[in-house]
Amino acid sequence: MMRVDNFSVAFSGLAIVLSALIFVLSADFYHNEEKHISDYLAILVFTLCGAMIMFSFSNMAMLFLGIEILSISLYIMAGSKQHDVRSNEAGFKYFLMGSFASGFLLFGIALIYGATNSFHIGNIAAYVSAGQISPMFYVGMLMMLVAMLFKVAVVPFHFWSPDVYEGSPALVTAFMSTLVKIAAFGAFYRLFYLCFFDSLNYIVIILGVVTAATIILGNLVALSQTNFKRLLAYSGISHAGYLMLAVMSMKTGTASAIFYYASGYGIATIGSFAVAILVFKAMKSENIEAFNGLGKKNPFLAAALTMSMLSLAGIPPFAGFLGKYYIFSEAIKNGLFGLTITAIITSIIGVYYYFKVILAMYTKEADETSVQSNIAYTTIIIVCVSVSLLLGLFPDKLMNIF
Amino acid sequence: MMTLLILFFPLIASILVFASGNNLASKVALLLAAAELAITVYVYSVYKQTGADSFYYFKEWISNPKISFHLGMDGLSLLMVILTNFLTPIIILSAFNRNIENAKAYFSLILFMQFALIGVFIAYDGLLYYIFWELALIPIYFIALRWGGPNRVPVTLKFFIYTLAGSLLMLFGFIMLYHYNPSHSFDIRELYDNASKICSCNQSWLFWMFFLAFAIKIPIVPFHTWQADTYKEAPTQGTMLLAGIMLKMGTYSLLRWLLPVVPAGVAQWGPLAITLCVIGIVYASVIAIMQKDLKKLFAYSSVAHVGLIAAGIFSLNIQGFQGSVVQMMAHGVNVVGLFFCADIIFNRTKSLQVEGLGGIRNVAPQFNTMFMIVVLGSVALPLTNGFIGEFLLLFGVYEYNTWLSVFSGLTIILGAVYMFRMFQRVMLGNTSETTSVFKDLMWNEKIVLAIIAITIIVMGIYPKPVFDMAQPALQSILDKVIIK
């Protein structure tokens, strides 16, 4: 049912670390309004459980179970601010869209079972490499692909993510854009690497179009965002595009590149959300204007957010840079020149919107409201920034896991 | 060990300055920059005795892809390091007696910039070099953004994105190089040794990826559009760092990372590149004549000068190379002097428009003398440092192609036109309302300008040490470029 290998251990480890960071942040986040904070924390652990099943499944049924455990917990988390209409809306929207995707996934699994007589990924892989593939199998594979693309939120299945990210409580957004995205990518990669590897040639064009569309659209639309959470949602979409590039280069074994990129992305995103949550709370606004003058008001927070943004934008010496480097390098090794050049051009666009936040912090006038940090948040912020610096300087430890 | 010390000392210094608080920051920064200069002098003396061999430092850093922490200083690198470490204390001193908000961050960023620049000049591993190259962008961006002029936000963003675009192309180039290279390495020795094994069609792509990155940084026309505005909006010290040192990153990289790495690409596209450089020289000189703003005038004159440096490099002969190195040093010193003079004028009159100034000579004779020397150095009068460099550069270009050298030669004539015209209208004539209260030099300004003036003259009379240091490094580069 499950197979523990380097891949699953590494990704589970990352998931645990990210959840732990979120845990520390959450104590304070729900402090004021929730009576049953324990419920919330329990659901968070359920999500983690789902993610870990997704990293180590060796059976289609387990994949489905993992995704469902993760998703259903998330539907609840997205709606966890009961008295906030937007949060309810986000939860409901996510639920409706997500159930469709789950339906696709289940249907796909059923068709593949029909073609191969097995749920086990080893058997399915053997069936694929044997060469006599029935049409039913392709339909099943495409349906699974659609479901997975939905879960990782790439174009054209990305529509839910900005709305859900914006509506959900900021901390849940942080959780969704890091752990959940990484879990979905882990499962995606594992499914296609272990199971559909030999049939990759049939869908490479689809993947190519999806990847190009994702990195272009994600970056371009992010330019015009004024809400910080939506900005990060679109930036998350474009990062998903870069990760797709690594999935497409699967032939040379890009698990380590994905893992490194995901770690750098996850850590930097949690770091920026930690700062953002403090700012949102103090300023009572989630727009980029809320960050105006943060450089004067609280230099520490501003510096930390700047470094996280630089890492997301892929500027050395932060982890985001080497992550991009690894992915581009693998893509070139696989001959994906056009996509790599697209990715490089769009990452320049990416710099522009990350710098919008930095510019707001350092060049706009501040108002009177002060922004204070507390011990938990300060610790998490320091941890995130130093980890993304250390990862950037000493990547060997992570890269040699696989 | 010396190499590590000279690299990391500014980084430590930058942290110390940040910790020292706003009141002490400038003094601590000056002290530490002077200490770094002392280290440099010591390194130079060791170099004189033992040569470049004792400065190599190699340590495995990342195993996949193979990136090593490989540093080294041959004559060329050391000259660039000397330039950086010589200018940094001057730049810091030039900020004394000026009101700088949040001084600790300002000076700490300047020293951090010094760290990144030294890293660029002594990194002998492609990706390490790239990391320092990018790292240098961050402090200068924030210096220009926090302390720049009124129009700084869009201008600095344009600067950042423009140069980053170039850098990413270079990164793409490095990755391609890594895969084409049979030994799969970024190490400079491997890149040099395997340069001939990459087919020339790939080399021509690689040439453009690197060339564009460097051309934007240098800048070579038509990739210069970020430059004049950025120089104008950046605070004086930022402009000095940009024009004095950072620009040399581009020309240095042409010598170190372009010519010997893709010699076949250079053979193919070098003629086009040198033509672009020469067009740029004439174009920028003409535009400089039209400028009414002092800082912009100096910016365009700088484009013309570095265009000539790049042309000398692409002329692929030892005279051009030698000239380019000497001129890099000379231009670094002169342009810092020019921008400092502009800053002094702005500090007194709150104006940089040539019109409305005039007659400063009558009220500030000391300033007049110093400014004159800097201007003479910059128009390449014999016995100043600018002359040696420009002469050799023109000689090198002449060896390459007569017509190109004729057009490059215009830079001297046109340079004299715009510089002297500017000097005449700003310094000579009758004192105007704005300039009548012009105070002569303060102590720190005197020291800075005196050091610059002396350097201009000494280097102009006795440039031999620079030649001696650069010669072996340049010759070995030249041997790799010329395909037999």
Side-chain angles (χ1 to χ4, degrees), chain B residues 307-454:
Chain B
L308 187 58
I309 295 178
I313 292 172
F314 278 108
S315 67
L316 304 184
N317 51 47
I318 196 71
Q319 291 83 6
F321 279 14
Q322 283 281 18
S324 72
V325 172
V326 175
Q327 183 67 352
M328 274 189 240
M329 309 287 288
H331 178 262
V333 176
N334 296 353
V335 85
V336 165
L338 283 177
F339 279 112
F340 190 47
C341 290
D343 180 60
I344 291 171
I345 293 173
F346 184 74
N347 183 257
R348 314 295 205 267
T349 64
K350 300 289 166 245
S351 159
L352 279 173
Q353 302 301 313
V354 174
E355 330 221 329
L357 297 174
I360 294 179
R361 183 184 65 148
N362 305 335
V363 284
Q366 292 175 339
F367 176 58
N368 180 57
T369 318
M370 297 298 189
F371 195 10
M372 189 68 210
I373 295 175
V374 178
V375 166
L376 291 180
S378 148
V379 300
L381 192 84
L383 289 185
T384 63
N385 57 2
F387 173 72
I388 317 275
E390 297 220 336
F391 173 75
L392 277 169
L393 284 167
L394 289 173
F395 189 55
V397 178
Y398 176 80
E399 298 259 287
Y400 183 84
N401 181 312
T402 318
W403 280 105
L404 284 176
S405 85
V406 170
F407 281 106
S408 326
L410 284 176
T411 179
I412 295 196
I413 304 163
L414 293 174
V417 172
Y418 57 74
M419 275 304 186
F420 287 134
R421 225 164 67 110
M422 177 278 301
F423 191 79
Q424 182 192 359
R425 294 205 292 180
V426 171
M427 302 299 288
L428 311 181
N430 294 323
T431 312
S432 74
E433 244 176 73
T434 38
T435 54
S436 57
V437 288
F438 200 95
K439 275 211 247 14
D440 213 341
L441 299 178
M442 289 181 270
W443 65 270
N444 70 315
E445 297 166 346
K446 262 184 221 164
I447 298 175
V448 169
L449 284 176
I451 294 173
I452 290 174
I454 291 169

Side-chain angles (χ1 to χ4, degrees), chain A residues 257-279:
Chain A
I258 293 188
F259 182 61
Y260 184 85
Y261 194 94
S263 318
Y265 165 76
I267 294 286
T269 309
I270 290 190
S272 11
F273 266 109
V275 177
I277 287 170
L278 293 170
V279 173

Side-chain angles (χ1 to χ4, degrees), chain A residues 192-379:
Chain A
F192 279 80
Y193 189 71
L194 294 179
C195 189
F196 297 143
F197 190 74
D198 289 316
S199 54
L200 200 63
N201 292 340
Y202 302 114
I203 51 167
V204 78
I205 296 175
I206 303 178
L207 287 181
V209 172
V210 165
T211 308
T214 307
I215 46 186
I216 293 172
L217 196 106
N219 279 306
L220 284 183
V221 180
L223 283 180
S224 58
Q225 300 304 319
T226 51
N227 181 296
F228 185 76
K229 277 152 80 182
R230 281 188 92 88
L231 178 86
L232 281 191
Y234 279 104
S235 112
I237 290 173
S238 62
H239 282 288
Y242 298 129
L243 282 166
M244 286 291 293
L245 198 59
V247 172
M248 283 187 70
S249 334
M250 189 185 282
K251 290 236 161 76
T252 47
T254 47
S256 52
I258 293 188
F259 182 61
Y260 184 85
Y261 194 94
S263 318
Y265 165 76
I267 294 286
T269 309
I270 290 190
S272 11
F273 266 109
V275 177
I277 287 170
L278 293 170
V279 173
F280 292 165
K281 208 198 264 171
M283 306 295 294
K284 309 227 169 1
S285 154
E286 296 186 343
N287 288 338
I288 295 176
E289 285 94 65
F291 292 89
N292 285 0
L294 191 64
K296 287 214 179 68
K297 285 195 275 190
N298 193 330
F300 165 71
L301 289 181
L305 186 56
T306 305
M307 289 194 240
S308 301
M309 288 284 136
L310 289 177
S311 180
L312 286 175
I315 310 258
F318 299 101
F321 162 71
L322 271 181
K324 278 215 170 80
Y325 167 80
Y326 286 132
I327 285 185
F328 293 169
S329 166
E330 293 294 340
I332 290 176
K333 218 191 265 177
N334 284 271
L336 305 169
F337 290 107
L339 279 176
T340 314
I341 289 179
T342 320
I344 285 180
I345 293 171
T346 47
S347 35
I348 299 167
I349 301 175
V351 172
Y352 184 83
Y353 58 78
Y354 291 122
F355 269 65
K356 241 166 61 171
V357 182
I358 298 180
L359 287 175
M361 290 192 296
Y362 288 106
T363 61
K364 304 276 173 63
E365 283 307 308
D367 60 5
E368 298 301 307
T369 334
S370 75
V371 179
Q372 296 302 333
S373 184
N374 57 38
I375 298 172
Y377 276 70
T378 310
T379 322

Side-chain angles (χ1 to χ4, degrees), chain B residues 230-262:
Chain B
T230 309
Y231 283 15
K232 183 173 179 320
E233 294 299 330
T236 306
Q237 284 70 31
T239 315
M240 289 172 169
L241 284 170
L242 273 168
I245 316 173
M246 199 174 178
L247 199 155
K248 274 60 181 189
M249 277 165 55
T251 43
Y252 163 85
S253 303
L254 287 179
L255 282 170
R256 172 83 68 208
W257 293 101
L258 182 72
L259 302 189
V261 174
V262 286

